[in-house]
Amino acid sequence: MTTERAWGKRQFGHRARLALTLAQVRAIDDQAHAARTMWNLLHDWWTMLPKDKRSLAAADAAIRQARKDLDWLAVLPAQAAQAVLKTYFQAWRNYWDGRAEAHNFKSRIRSVMSVDIPQGRDLSAIRVHRRWGVVNIPKVGRVRFRWTRDLPVGKRADKDNRITGARLVKDALGWHIAFRVQTFEAAPEAHQGPRVGIDAGVNLPLALSDGNHFDHGRPARLPDKTADRDKWLNTKEKAKLLRLEKRAAHRRSFRKPGERSSNRLRSTYDQIKQLRAIATRRAVDWQHKTTTAIANQYGTVVVEQLSITNMVKSARGTVEEPGKNVAQKAGLNRSISQEAWGRTVTMLTYKLAQRGGTLHKVPAPGTSLRCSACGFTTPGGREDQATFMCKNPDCGFRANADWNAARNVLHLYRIGHVAIPAAGRAAVRRARRVKPATAR
C-alpha cells in the first residue's frame, strides 16, 4: 500500500562569499552607510513626530524626499531604502508584541554593515563555473560569488523554485551575500532512526546517550591559561591574538575621554576582528557537520532546555557584596558562549525536520547529578568533571559524567517528565507584555 506524500514550499537561506574589486567594495560600503544613516534619520523623524501624524505613508514620503535632497542618500537603491522602512516598522511590531526590546540608533562602529535586495529578479544570478557564480547588485554591477550550493537559477528557476531576495552582509573578512531561496519539495517521510539524548558540555561538547560523542579537537593550550581565550584558534593564532589585545590596550591608554580612536588603534581592532571571525567560521563549520551527522543517523533527538542567559551571568556582584571566583566564572562564561549551544539546537531543529525527525526538550535540573541506572540522586555522585559514581549502596554505577547525563535526558523524554518534582520543572516564561494564547 502506497501513500501520496504531501508537497509544500520551503524557504531557507544560503550565504556565499563575494569576490569584489576595490571600486565595488567602496560602492557597497557607501550603500551600507547610507542604509544605516537612513535608519537613524527615520528613527529621529519617528520619535520627534506627534503620534497622530505617524504613518507608513508619511514615512515613505519623507524617505523619497530625503533621497532627492541628499545625494549621498541617493546612492542607496530605492528598493533597499524601502527595505529599511519595512525593517524599521517590523522592529516596532516586535517591541509592541514583546518579542524584542525597544530599538535605538545604529552606531557606526557596533552595527553590522548590510544592504537588503528585496526582489530576487534584480539579482539575475547565474552559474558560470564549477566554483563561481555571478549576481547583479543594483548600482554596483555584476559581481562574482563563491558557488558552494546548487541554487534555483537560470532554467531551473520557476515560480515555485526561485531566489526571492538577498542581503549583503559585511564581517571582518569581507562582504558576503545571503540568498533567500524558496523551493517546492515533498514532505519527508518519518525518520526510522533510533532515539538519542544529548548532553551539552564545555570539555566534551556533545555527549550522546548511546556512548558516542562529538569533539571539535581543541588545539593545544597556551602555557599561560589566562591568554587561552578562544578554543577555535591554533597556537600561533592565540599568541597573535594576545599580542594584538596587549597592543590595543597600550594604544588605548593614550586616548583621552571623548577623543576619537587613532588609525593605528582601529587597525589593531580590525586585526582582532579578523581572528574572531576566523574562529566563528570554524565553530559554525563544525556545528553544521556535526548536526548533519546527527540528523542523518537519529530520528528523535532529546536535549536539555537550558537557560543560557542565566548560565553566563557575571559573578562580580556588587560593591556591598562582591562576588567570589570572578575570574574563573568569567572564563567559564567565555567557554559557554564559544560553544554556542543555542545555535546547535537551532541547526538540529531544522535539519531533523527536513529529514522527518523530531527534536524535543526536557527540563535540565538534576540530569548531571542523578544516576541513570537506579534513578537516585545522592550527594557526592559527581566526583569530578568527567566521572560520575553513584553513592547508593545497592547500585554503585560508575560512568562518564556527560554520558550519564545524556542517558538521564533521554529517560526524561521516555517517561514524559513525570519523575521531575514540580519545583524542578522548567517554568514556561513569556516575554513581557505578551498575553497568553487563550487571552488573545
Side-chain angles (χ1 to χ4, degrees):
M1 180 179 179
T2 60
T3 58
E4 294 185 359
R5 299 173 61 185
W7 287 70
K9 293 182 179 181
R10 182 172 73 91
Q11 296 182 353
F12 63 91
H14 172 63
R15 182 165 172 164
R17 176 165 55 91
L18 292 175
L20 303 172
T21 64
L22 292 178
Q24 291 173 339
V25 170
R26 286 194 295 267
I28 301 180
D29 285 347
D30 292 342
Q31 291 187 13
H33 287 306
R36 178 187 58 82
T37 306
M38 184 167 292
W39 171 285
N40 293 337
L41 293 175
L42 183 61
H43 183 64
D44 197 10
W45 174 87
W46 179 269
T47 53
M48 292 177 60
L49 208 64
K51 292 185 178 180
D52 56 343
K53 295 184 178 180
R54 300 174 183 175
S55 65
L56 184 62
D60 178 66
I63 287 179
R64 292 176 184 270
Q65 188 62 37
R67 295 184 71 253
K68 291 180 181 180
D69 298 339
L70 303 176
D71 295 338
W72 50 274
L73 278 182
V75 300
L76 186 67
Q79 297 296 333
Q82 295 296 322
V84 173
L85 176 60
K86 181 179 179 181
T87 306
Y88 181 79
F89 268 78
Q90 184 60 44
W92 275 114
R93 295 190 188 97
N94 294 339
Y95 170 67
W96 293 332
D97 295 340
R99 295 189 297 268
E101 297 294 334
H103 51 281
N104 207 331
F105 296 97
K106 290 189 175 182
S107 170
R108 181 185 181 92
I109 299 176
R110 293 179 176 84
S111 61
V112 178
M113 296 181 63
S114 61
V115 180
D116 198 81
I117 306 176
Q119 296 184 356
R121 64 172 180 267
D122 296 336
L123 298 170
S124 302
I126 59 173
R127 186 177 186 179
V128 297
H129 188 261
R130 181 170 62 91
R131 295 183 177 179
W132 293 97
V134 177
V135 65
N136 181 67
I137 298 178
K139 292 195 175 185
V140 176
R142 304 294 286 176
V143 175
R144 292 193 307 158
F145 68 93
R146 191 71 171 179
W147 189 279
T148 56
R149 177 172 183 167
D150 289 336
L151 299 173
V153 299
K155 295 182 179 179
R156 298 180 54 189
D158 52 37
K159 64 178 183 178
D160 294 324
N161 301 275
R162 58 193 176 91
I163 297 176
T164 60
R167 190 175 186 85
L168 306 178
V169 183
K170 186 178 184 180
D171 61 7
L173 300 178
W175 279 98
H176 300 76
I177 182 169
F179 293 102
R180 294 188 288 268
V181 185
Q182 174 185 293
T183 59
F184 191 75
E185 56 187 28
E189 297 180 351
H191 199 300
Q192 301 302 323
R195 299 174 178 175
V196 68
I198 297 180
D199 175 71
V202 175
N203 290 334
L204 186 60
L206 297 178
L208 276 61
S209 58
D210 59 359
N212 297 327
H213 69 276
F214 290 90
D215 193 357
H216 46 59
R218 180 188 175 98
R221 282 180 171 269
L222 292 179
D224 184 9
K225 293 184 178 181
T226 59
D228 196 18
R229 288 179 170 271
D230 203 310
K231 62 184 68 177
W232 295 102
L233 299 178
N234 56 39
T235 305
K236 292 183 179 179
E237 291 169 339
K238 290 177 181 178
K240 181 180 178 181
L241 178 61
L242 179 60
R243 291 196 306 269
L244 291 173
E245 289 179 341
K246 289 182 178 179
R247 185 184 305 169
H250 176 71
R251 291 175 175 173
R252 190 168 56 246
S253 63
F254 296 97
R255 188 181 62 180
K256 298 179 182 179
E259 185 180 3
R260 291 187 59 183
S261 301
S262 64
N263 293 333
R264 291 183 178 181
L265 180 57
R266 285 198 292 266
S267 176
T268 305
Y269 283 152
D270 291 340
Q271 296 179 62
I272 294 175
K273 289 180 181 179
Q274 289 177 1
L275 288 175
R276 297 295 188 191
I278 291 173
T280 301
R281 282 191 177 188
R282 292 174 183 171
V284 174
D285 178 72
W286 179 85
Q287 286 178 313
H288 272 295
K289 293 178 180 177
T290 303
T291 53
T292 299
I294 294 175
N296 289 334
Q297 183 176 357
Y298 301 99
T300 301
V301 176
V302 188
V303 297
E304 295 175 306
Q305 190 172 7
L306 299 174
S307 178
I308 302 176
T309 303
N310 295 333
M311 296 175 63
V312 297
K313 284 185 177 180
S314 174
R316 187 177 295 112
T318 61
V319 177
E320 294 78 10
E321 298 181 1
K324 298 180 180 180
N325 300 326
V326 179
Q328 293 85 338
K329 184 61 168 65
L332 176 61
N333 293 347
R334 190 182 306 114
S335 299
I336 293 175
S337 299
Q338 290 175 6
E339 288 298 334
W341 295 330
R343 187 166 58 203
T344 301
V345 173
T346 301
M347 292 181 181
L348 278 174
T349 302
Y350 76 80
K351 290 183 179 182
L352 285 167
Q354 292 175 7
R355 293 161 176 79
T358 56
L359 182 136
H360 301 273
K361 296 181 180 181
V362 298
T367 54
S368 61
L369 303 177
R370 189 182 306 109
C371 177
S372 60
C374 65
F376 285 93
T377 301
T378 54
R382 191 75 178 261
E383 294 185 348
D384 53 41
Q385 194 281 329
T387 307
F388 178 85
M389 178 66 182
C390 183
K391 302 301 181 180
N392 184 6
D394 299 332
C395 179
F397 178 73
R398 185 183 183 91
N400 179 273
D402 296 322
W403 178 59
N404 175 74
R407 292 183 58 183
N408 285 326
V409 170
L410 180 60
H411 181 66
L412 288 178
Y413 166 74
R414 287 173 173 170
I415 65 176
H417 314 173
V418 296
I420 302 297
R425 294 178 182 173
V428 179
R429 294 184 175 90
R430 294 186 298 272
R432 292 176 301 176
R433 301 178 302 279
V434 178
K435 297 180 180 180
T438 55
R440 292 179 183 171

